[in-house]
Coordinates of all heavy atoms in Angstrom, one line a residue:
E57 N -2.3 6.5 -101.2 CA -1.9 5.4 -100.3 C -2.8 5.4 -99.1 O -3.4 6.4 -98.7 CB -0.4 5.7 -99.9 CG -0.2 6.9 -99.0 CD 1.3 7.1 -98.7 OE1 2.2 6.8 -99.5 OE2 1.6 7.5 -97.6
I93 N -10.5 14.1 -89.7 CA -10.4 13.6 -91.1 C -11.0 12.3 -91.3 O -11.2 11.9 -92.4 CB -9.0 13.7 -91.6 CG1 -8.1 12.7 -91.0 CG2 -8.4 15.1 -91.6 CD1 -6.8 12.5 -91.6
A114 N -2.0 25.1 -81.1 CA -2.7 25.2 -79.8 C -1.8 24.6 -78.7 O -1.9 24.9 -77.6 CB -4.0 24.6 -79.8

Side-chain angles (χ1 to χ4, degrees):
E57 66 179 41
I93 65 169

